[in-house]
Amino acid sequence: MSSQQTSSALPPVFVALDMNEGAVSPLLGTLDGLNVGYKIGMELFYQSGADLVRRMAQDHAIFLDLKLHDIPNTVQSAAARIADMGVRVTTVHAAGGGAMLAGLPALERDDFQFLAVTVLTSMKAEDLRGLGVSDDNPQNRVQHLFNLARDNGITGFICSPLEVEGLHAELPGGTFITPGVRPAGASLDDQNRVATPLQAKQSGATSLVIGRPITRAPDPRAAAQAILDTLSHG
Ligand code: C5P
């Protein structure tokens, strides 16, 4: 078991593995020994499944990002299976409702926590109107779903770097993991509203999710190390 796994502290960076399984091992070798965890999302999970997650969780802090959203009994059963995989954090949609969320905190441990997704950053006011949401302001909707999750015992959230400061102020002991992070001068790729790693940390982010600025860098190890250095000096 690695040093990342013996502590309940999360690594400062989760590297997003938005890639095929074949590309994972070389990247893990390249980043070996750095204090990073790995985010496994739907693309890799639906290709390689739970076995890969369990294997990787033996040596690394894993963020399993499957955004559960179903009836309470189904989500609770699925969440219990995920807890058994050894991952550190996993996502659920706050929009699944209070009853779905309320059953989850009992499954948490020192080294396993749920993160609620509020409003996907791809959603605009017109999308919320399309869903029949009466208040179509995305920020209000984020706040509403944040309150719902918090009131049902959820203390971890995935949120944009622009949301994290306000939410962290409302729940200072909470866990806030933020994607949409770009080192100064890096390509934005398809991200629109971004912050630098240090800005995100200073706004209250517990850990950052960073994909392409590391995985597609000419030297991924140097890119990851530079980000970790920035964070540790901030
Ligand atoms: O490569 P990049 O750093 O943009 O990757 C960010 C990761 O975080 C991707 O896996 C993406 O799906 C995820 N994410 C995001 N924005 C959100 C939620 C998740 O970029 N609002």
Side-chain angles (χ1 to χ4, degrees), residues 155-191:
T155 58
F157 293 87
I158 180 125
C159 58
S160 91
L162 307 183
E163 291 161 7
V164 67
E165 188 166 10
L167 299 181
H168 178 258
E170 292 190 46
L171 190 62
T175 299
F176 295 93
I177 299 191
T178 60
V181 176
R182 289 291 178 269
S187 161
L188 296 188
D189 302 307
D190 53 359
Q191 300 280 8

mmCIF file of all heavy atoms in Angstrom, residues 155-191:
data_model
loop_
_atom_site.group_PDB
_atom_site.id
_atom_site.type_symbol
_atom_site.label_atom_id
_atom_site.label_comp_id
_atom_site.label_asym_id
_atom_site.label_seq_id
_atom_site.Cartn_x
_atom_site.Cartn_y
_atom_site.Cartn_z
ATOM 1 N N THR A 155 -20.575 15.848 2.785
ATOM 2 C CA THR A 155 -19.604 16.917 3.076
ATOM 3 C C THR A 155 -18.536 17.052 1.992
ATOM 4 O O THR A 155 -17.574 17.790 2.158
ATOM 5 C CB THR A 155 -18.906 16.663 4.427
ATOM 6 O OG1 THR A 155 -18.266 15.378 4.368
ATOM 7 C CG2 THR A 155 -19.896 16.696 5.584
ATOM 8 N N GLY A 156 -18.694 16.314 0.890
ATOM 9 C CA GLY A 156 -17.748 16.419 -0.212
ATOM 10 C C GLY A 156 -18.458 16.892 -1.471
ATOM 11 O O GLY A 156 -19.609 16.520 -1.722
ATOM 12 N N PHE A 157 -17.785 17.713 -2.251
ATOM 13 C CA PHE A 157 -18.411 18.280 -3.449
ATOM 14 C C PHE A 157 -17.402 18.362 -4.577
ATOM 15 O O PHE A 157 -16.209 18.603 -4.342
ATOM 16 C CB PHE A 157 -18.955 19.693 -3.161
ATOM 17 C CG PHE A 157 -20.099 19.652 -2.204
ATOM 18 C CD1 PHE A 157 -19.864 19.669 -0.836
ATOM 19 C CD2 PHE A 157 -21.399 19.523 -2.655
ATOM 20 C CE1 PHE A 157 -20.918 19.569 0.064
ATOM 21 C CE2 PHE A 157 -22.458 19.424 -1.766
ATOM 22 C CZ PHE A 157 -22.216 19.448 -0.399
ATOM 23 N N ILE A 158 -17.903 18.164 -5.788
ATOM 24 C CA ILE A 158 -17.098 18.472 -6.958
ATOM 25 C C ILE A 158 -17.635 19.789 -7.493
ATOM 26 O O ILE A 158 -18.846 19.963 -7.634
ATOM 27 C CB ILE A 158 -17.124 17.335 -8.000
ATOM 28 C CG1 ILE A 158 -16.276 17.674 -9.209
ATOM 29 C CG2 ILE A 158 -18.503 16.940 -8.436
ATOM 30 C CD1 ILE A 158 -15.250 16.643 -9.518
ATOM 31 N N CYS A 159 -16.771 20.750 -7.684
ATOM 32 C CA CYS A 159 -17.261 22.056 -8.115
ATOM 33 C C CYS A 159 -16.194 22.784 -8.923
ATOM 34 O O CYS A 159 -15.013 22.442 -8.872
ATOM 35 C CB CYS A 159 -17.705 22.895 -6.929
ATOM 36 S SG CYS A 159 -16.445 23.163 -5.705
ATOM 37 N N SER A 160 -16.652 23.777 -9.681
ATOM 38 C CA SER A 160 -15.730 24.524 -10.522
ATOM 39 C C SER A 160 -14.879 25.440 -9.646
ATOM 40 O O SER A 160 -15.271 25.801 -8.530
ATOM 41 C CB SER A 160 -16.502 25.350 -11.555
ATOM 42 O OG SER A 160 -16.780 26.625 -11.030
ATOM 43 N N PRO A 161 -13.704 25.835 -10.150
ATOM 44 C CA PRO A 161 -12.857 26.724 -9.353
ATOM 45 C C PRO A 161 -13.543 28.048 -9.053
ATOM 46 O O PRO A 161 -13.172 28.740 -8.115
ATOM 47 C CB PRO A 161 -11.610 26.932 -10.222
ATOM 48 C CG PRO A 161 -11.801 26.182 -11.469
ATOM 49 C CD PRO A 161 -13.110 25.457 -11.428
ATOM 50 N N LEU A 162 -14.562 28.395 -9.852
ATOM 51 C CA LEU A 162 -15.249 29.666 -9.614
ATOM 52 C C LEU A 162 -16.330 29.538 -8.545
ATOM 53 O O LEU A 162 -16.793 30.537 -8.008
ATOM 54 C CB LEU A 162 -15.854 30.189 -10.923
ATOM 55 C CG LEU A 162 -14.856 30.277 -12.071
ATOM 56 C CD1 LEU A 162 -15.494 30.856 -13.313
ATOM 57 C CD2 LEU A 162 -13.644 31.116 -11.663
ATOM 58 N N GLU A 163 -16.733 28.326 -8.246
ATOM 59 C CA GLU A 163 -17.751 28.116 -7.213
ATOM 60 C C GLU A 163 -17.136 27.838 -5.849
ATOM 61 O O GLU A 163 -17.785 27.995 -4.819
ATOM 62 C CB GLU A 163 -18.615 26.888 -7.541
ATOM 63 C CG GLU A 163 -19.517 27.021 -8.727
ATOM 64 C CD GLU A 163 -19.970 25.661 -9.257
ATOM 65 O OE1 GLU A 163 -19.693 24.613 -8.615
ATOM 66 O OE2 GLU A 163 -20.597 25.651 -10.320
ATOM 67 N N VAL A 164 -15.892 27.365 -5.854
ATOM 68 C CA VAL A 164 -15.370 26.734 -4.640
ATOM 69 C C VAL A 164 -15.247 27.710 -3.473
ATOM 70 O O VAL A 164 -15.512 27.349 -2.323
ATOM 71 C CB VAL A 164 -14.031 26.006 -4.928
ATOM 72 C CG1 VAL A 164 -12.915 26.949 -5.265
ATOM 73 C CG2 VAL A 164 -13.640 25.114 -3.772
ATOM 74 N N GLU A 165 -14.937 28.953 -3.755
ATOM 75 C CA GLU A 165 -14.717 29.888 -2.646
ATOM 76 C C GLU A 165 -15.993 30.065 -1.811
ATOM 77 O O GLU A 165 -15.967 29.962 -0.583
ATOM 78 C CB GLU A 165 -14.235 31.242 -3.184
ATOM 79 C CG GLU A 165 -13.802 32.163 -2.072
ATOM 80 C CD GLU A 165 -13.010 33.356 -2.592
ATOM 81 O OE1 GLU A 165 -12.959 33.551 -3.823
ATOM 82 O OE2 GLU A 165 -12.456 34.078 -1.753
ATOM 83 N N GLY A 166 -17.110 30.290 -2.497
ATOM 84 C CA GLY A 166 -18.375 30.499 -1.783
ATOM 85 C C GLY A 166 -18.818 29.256 -1.037
ATOM 86 O O GLY A 166 -19.270 29.325 0.116
ATOM 87 N N LEU A 167 -18.679 28.092 -1.676
ATOM 88 C CA LEU A 167 -19.134 26.860 -1.033
ATOM 89 C C LEU A 167 -18.228 26.510 0.152
ATOM 90 O O LEU A 167 -18.698 26.087 1.211
ATOM 91 C CB LEU A 167 -19.181 25.712 -2.041
ATOM 92 C CG LEU A 167 -20.131 25.929 -3.229
ATOM 93 C CD1 LEU A 167 -20.121 24.711 -4.141
ATOM 94 C CD2 LEU A 167 -21.552 26.227 -2.771
ATOM 95 N N HIS A 168 -16.936 26.703 -0.024
ATOM 96 C CA HIS A 168 -16.001 26.415 1.062
ATOM 97 C C HIS A 168 -16.291 27.303 2.275
ATOM 98 O O HIS A 168 -16.208 26.853 3.424
ATOM 99 C CB HIS A 168 -14.560 26.627 0.571
ATOM 100 C CG HIS A 168 -13.531 26.394 1.618
ATOM 101 N ND1 HIS A 168 -12.900 27.415 2.285
ATOM 102 C CD2 HIS A 168 -13.047 25.253 2.150
ATOM 103 C CE1 HIS A 168 -12.063 26.913 3.170
ATOM 104 N NE2 HIS A 168 -12.129 25.608 3.111
ATOM 105 N N ALA A 169 -16.675 28.540 2.023
ATOM 106 C CA ALA A 169 -16.987 29.439 3.145
ATOM 107 C C ALA A 169 -18.193 28.924 3.930
ATOM 108 O O ALA A 169 -18.289 29.129 5.140
ATOM 109 C CB ALA A 169 -17.256 30.848 2.615
ATOM 110 N N GLU A 170 -19.089 28.232 3.248
ATOM 111 C CA GLU A 170 -20.282 27.718 3.937
ATOM 112 C C GLU A 170 -20.025 26.408 4.661
ATOM 113 O O GLU A 170 -20.787 26.025 5.548
ATOM 114 C CB GLU A 170 -21.412 27.506 2.926
ATOM 115 C CG GLU A 170 -21.927 28.796 2.352
ATOM 116 C CD GLU A 170 -23.184 28.566 1.547
ATOM 117 O OE1 GLU A 170 -24.064 27.857 2.018
ATOM 118 O OE2 GLU A 170 -23.247 29.089 0.419
ATOM 119 N N LEU A 171 -18.984 25.699 4.249
ATOM 120 C CA LEU A 171 -18.684 24.390 4.849
ATOM 121 C C LEU A 171 -17.161 24.251 4.927
ATOM 122 O O LEU A 171 -16.538 23.508 4.164
ATOM 123 C CB LEU A 171 -19.295 23.286 3.963
ATOM 124 C CG LEU A 171 -19.302 21.867 4.510
ATOM 125 C CD1 LEU A 171 -20.120 21.760 5.788
ATOM 126 C CD2 LEU A 171 -19.871 20.909 3.458
ATOM 127 N N PRO A 172 -16.551 25.005 5.856
ATOM 128 C CA PRO A 172 -15.077 25.098 5.857
ATOM 129 C C PRO A 172 -14.378 23.749 6.015
ATOM 130 O O PRO A 172 -13.278 23.574 5.513
ATOM 131 C CB PRO A 172 -14.784 26.015 7.051
ATOM 132 C CG PRO A 172 -16.034 26.786 7.272
ATOM 133 C CD PRO A 172 -17.159 25.864 6.881
ATOM 134 N N GLY A 173 -15.008 22.794 6.705
ATOM 135 C CA GLY A 173 -14.346 21.499 6.874
ATOM 136 C C GLY A 173 -14.631 20.527 5.746
ATOM 137 O O GLY A 173 -14.211 19.365 5.806
ATOM 138 N N GLY A 174 -15.339 20.977 4.721
ATOM 139 C CA GLY A 174 -15.748 20.064 3.648
ATOM 140 C C GLY A 174 -14.605 19.731 2.698
ATOM 141 O O GLY A 174 -13.522 20.300 2.760
ATOM 142 N N THR A 175 -14.884 18.764 1.830
ATOM 143 C CA THR A 175 -13.931 18.367 0.795
ATOM 144 C C THR A 175 -14.427 18.949 -0.526
ATOM 145 O O THR A 175 -15.578 18.712 -0.912
ATOM 146 C CB THR A 175 -13.877 16.824 0.700
ATOM 147 O OG1 THR A 175 -13.445 16.316 1.961
ATOM 148 C CG2 THR A 175 -12.921 16.366 -0.399
ATOM 149 N N PHE A 176 -13.574 19.698 -1.191
ATOM 150 C CA PHE A 176 -13.970 20.336 -2.451
ATOM 151 C C PHE A 176 -12.948 19.985 -3.519
ATOM 152 O O PHE A 176 -11.771 20.354 -3.406
ATOM 153 C CB PHE A 176 -14.065 21.858 -2.279
ATOM 154 C CG PHE A 176 -15.148 22.258 -1.328
ATOM 155 C CD1 PHE A 176 -14.869 22.447 0.009
ATOM 156 C CD2 PHE A 176 -16.455 22.392 -1.767
ATOM 157 C CE1 PHE A 176 -15.877 22.776 0.907
ATOM 158 C CE2 PHE A 176 -17.474 22.724 -0.887
ATOM 159 C CZ PHE A 176 -17.184 22.907 0.462
ATOM 160 N N ILE A 177 -13.385 19.259 -4.521
ATOM 161 C CA ILE A 177 -12.476 18.835 -5.590
ATOM 162 C C ILE A 177 -12.872 19.558 -6.864
ATOM 163 O O ILE A 177 -14.048 19.560 -7.244
ATOM 164 C CB ILE A 177 -12.512 17.301 -5.735
ATOM 165 C CG1 ILE A 177 -12.055 16.672 -4.409
ATOM 166 C CG2 ILE A 177 -11.644 16.858 -6.905
ATOM 167 C CD1 ILE A 177 -11.777 15.202 -4.438
ATOM 168 N N THR A 178 -11.887 20.193 -7.482
ATOM 169 C CA THR A 178 -12.205 21.060 -8.611
ATOM 170 C C THR A 178 -11.469 20.670 -9.891
ATOM 171 O O THR A 178 -10.236 20.584 -9.898
ATOM 172 C CB THR A 178 -11.847 22.537 -8.299
ATOM 173 O OG1 THR A 178 -10.462 22.616 -8.040
ATOM 174 C CG2 THR A 178 -12.576 23.051 -7.106
ATOM 175 N N PRO A 179 -12.227 20.414 -10.964
ATOM 176 C CA PRO A 179 -11.629 20.345 -12.311
ATOM 177 C C PRO A 179 -11.602 21.757 -12.912
ATOM 178 O O PRO A 179 -11.865 22.737 -12.212
ATOM 179 C CB PRO A 179 -12.595 19.435 -13.064
ATOM 180 C CG PRO A 179 -13.912 19.604 -12.382
ATOM 181 C CD PRO A 179 -13.648 20.096 -10.975
ATOM 182 N N GLY A 180 -11.282 21.858 -14.179
ATOM 183 C CA GLY A 180 -11.237 23.179 -14.824
ATOM 184 C C GLY A 180 -10.009 23.953 -14.393
ATOM 185 O O GLY A 180 -10.034 25.174 -14.265
ATOM 186 N N VAL A 181 -8.921 23.249 -14.151
ATOM 187 C CA VAL A 181 -7.702 23.891 -13.662
ATOM 188 C C VAL A 181 -6.651 23.866 -14.777
ATOM 189 O O VAL A 181 -6.447 22.841 -15.427
ATOM 190 C CB VAL A 181 -7.171 23.138 -12.422
ATOM 191 C CG1 VAL A 181 -5.855 23.723 -11.958
ATOM 192 C CG2 VAL A 181 -8.214 23.177 -11.319
ATOM 193 N N ARG A 182 -6.027 24.999 -14.994
ATOM 194 C CA ARG A 182 -4.989 25.099 -16.013
ATOM 195 C C ARG A 182 -3.805 25.888 -15.476
ATOM 196 O O ARG A 182 -3.990 27.011 -14.998
ATOM 197 C CB ARG A 182 -5.524 25.821 -17.269
ATOM 198 C CG ARG A 182 -6.518 24.993 -18.083
ATOM 199 C CD ARG A 182 -5.810 23.827 -18.735
ATOM 200 N NE ARG A 182 -6.670 22.941 -19.509
ATOM 201 C CZ ARG A 182 -7.295 21.864 -19.042
ATOM 202 N NH1 ARG A 182 -7.215 21.544 -17.777
ATOM 203 N NH2 ARG A 182 -8.003 21.089 -19.827
ATOM 204 N N PRO A 183 -2.590 25.340 -15.566
ATOM 205 C CA PRO A 183 -1.422 26.143 -15.195
ATOM 206 C C PRO A 183 -1.372 27.398 -16.061
ATOM 207 O O PRO A 183 -1.842 27.385 -17.210
ATOM 208 C CB PRO A 183 -0.245 25.216 -15.511
ATOM 209 C CG PRO A 183 -0.819 23.836 -15.505
ATOM 210 C CD PRO A 183 -2.234 23.986 -15.997
ATOM 211 N N ALA A 184 -0.819 28.475 -15.520
ATOM 212 C CA ALA A 184 -0.728 29.719 -16.277
ATOM 213 C C ALA A 184 -0.059 29.454 -17.615
ATOM 214 O O ALA A 184 0.964 28.775 -17.690
ATOM 215 C CB ALA A 184 0.066 30.746 -15.475
ATOM 216 N N GLY A 185 -0.676 29.939 -18.674
ATOM 217 C CA GLY A 185 -0.089 29.808 -20.007
ATOM 218 C C GLY A 185 -0.406 28.499 -20.701
ATOM 219 O O GLY A 185 -0.108 28.330 -21.886
ATOM 220 N N ALA A 186 -1.042 27.542 -20.014
ATOM 221 C CA ALA A 186 -1.341 26.255 -20.650
ATOM 222 C C ALA A 186 -2.541 26.385 -21.581
ATOM 223 O O ALA A 186 -3.363 27.299 -21.442
ATOM 224 C CB ALA A 186 -1.627 25.206 -19.579
ATOM 225 N N SER A 187 -2.645 25.442 -22.509
ATOM 226 C CA SER A 187 -3.806 25.415 -23.397
ATOM 227 C C SER A 187 -5.079 25.195 -22.583
ATOM 228 O O SER A 187 -5.088 24.411 -21.632
ATOM 229 C CB SER A 187 -3.639 24.268 -24.398
ATOM 230 O OG SER A 187 -4.890 23.940 -24.963
ATOM 231 N N LEU A 188 -6.162 25.894 -22.969
ATOM 232 C CA LEU A 188 -7.431 25.712 -22.253
ATOM 233 C C LEU A 188 -8.141 24.442 -22.698
ATOM 234 O O LEU A 188 -9.076 24.001 -22.047
ATOM 235 C CB LEU A 188 -8.355 26.909 -22.499
ATOM 236 C CG LEU A 188 -7.890 28.275 -21.980
ATOM 237 C CD1 LEU A 188 -9.014 29.298 -22.137
ATOM 238 C CD2 LEU A 188 -7.454 28.197 -20.530
ATOM 239 N N ASP A 189 -7.722 23.845 -23.836
ATOM 240 C CA ASP A 189 -8.456 22.725 -24.441
ATOM 241 C C ASP A 189 -9.919 23.157 -24.588
ATOM 242 O O ASP A 189 -10.176 24.220 -25.098
ATOM 243 C CB ASP A 189 -8.288 21.453 -23.604
ATOM 244 C CG ASP A 189 -6.815 21.067 -23.440
ATOM 245 O OD1 ASP A 189 -6.148 20.956 -24.476
ATOM 246 O OD2 ASP A 189 -6.336 20.935 -22.305
ATOM 247 N N ASP A 190 -10.862 22.342 -24.107
ATOM 248 C CA ASP A 190 -12.269 22.731 -24.240
ATOM 249 C C ASP A 190 -12.834 23.327 -22.952
ATOM 250 O O ASP A 190 -14.036 23.475 -22.810
ATOM 251 C CB ASP A 190 -13.120 21.527 -24.669
ATOM 252 C CG ASP A 190 -12.922 20.330 -23.761
ATOM 253 O OD1 ASP A 190 -12.113 20.423 -22.805
ATOM 254 O OD2 ASP A 190 -13.574 19.302 -23.993
ATOM 255 N N GLN A 191 -11.970 23.677 -22.006
ATOM 256 C CA GLN A 191 -12.444 24.307 -20.772
ATOM 257 C C GLN A 191 -12.635 25.795 -21.033
ATOM 258 O O GLN A 191 -11.874 26.413 -21.766
ATOM 259 C CB GLN A 191 -11.421 24.102 -19.643
ATOM 260 C CG GLN A 191 -11.141 22.659 -19.291
ATOM 261 C CD GLN A 191 -12.224 22.050 -18.400
ATOM 262 O OE1 GLN A 191 -13.252 22.667 -18.159
ATOM 263 N NE2 GLN A 191 -11.998 20.833 -17.940
#
